[in-house]
Amino acid sequence: MIGVILWSDAPLTKAVIWCDDQGDLAFYTNKHGAECAELNPGDWVEFDVTLSGNVRVAENLAIVLEQGSPDLADRLSATAECKAADAGSQEQKVIPFPLQAAEKRRVAAPLQTVQR
C-alpha cells in the first residue's frame, strides 16, 4: 500500500499514515529496532498493512518520495476548521450509516496475515 506520513515522532520511530485506499489511518512503530530512515510528515511511503484488533498496522515501511506532500496535515486541519466554522451557522443533523456500510469500510484494504 502507498500512503503519506501525517505525523511522526523521530525519537520513538512512530508515524501515522494516511493510506491511498482512503480507509482507516495506519500506525507504524519500529518494534524490531531495525535501521529505519527518518520519517517526516509529507513523506510518501510504501508498506504492508495488517490488522491488529481494529487498528491498521503498517510494517516493512519504505520511503518512496521524501517531502512529497509536506503541508498535507496542515491543509487537512485548516479544511476541517473551516468546515466546522461554516457548520456552526447551519442546522446540524446526525445521520447514522447502516451497519453494513461500516462493515464494508473496515475491509477495504487487502490485509496480510503475519505469522510470528
Side-chain angles (χ1 to χ4, degrees), residues 1-115:
M1 183 170 299
I2 303 285
V4 178
I5 303 286
L6 293 178
W7 172 88
S8 66
D9 185 320
L12 297 176
T13 321
K14 292 186 175 199
V16 177
I17 305 167
W18 187 10
C19 305
D20 66 344
D21 69 353
Q22 304 300 310
D24 293 337
L25 298 174
F27 299 89
Y28 172 76
T29 301
N30 186 359
K31 299 181 251 183
H32 307 294
E35 187 70 27
C36 180
E38 184 177 339
L39 302 173
N40 295 298
D43 289 350
W44 294 3
V45 291
E46 185 174 24
F47 56 95
D48 298 324
V49 67
T50 58
L51 197 59
S52 175
N54 62 351
V55 175
R56 291 170 81 169
V57 178
E59 297 177 332
N60 304 320
L61 210 72
I63 295 177
V64 175
L65 178 65
E66 290 185 9
Q67 295 299 298
S69 303
D71 62 341
L72 179 62
D74 292 334
R75 290 190 343 229
L76 290 171
S77 293
T79 300
E81 290 170 10
C82 181
K83 287 188 179 192
D86 290 344
S89 62
Q90 300 173 0
E91 182 181 332
Q92 298 291 312
K93 292 184 181 180
V94 176
I95 302 171
F97 286 97
L99 185 56
Q100 276 184 326
E103 290 299 322
K104 285 181 186 176
R105 282 196 335 252
R106 288 186 194 161
V107 294
L111 300 175
Q112 298 178 354
T113 302
V114 177
Q115 295 184 9

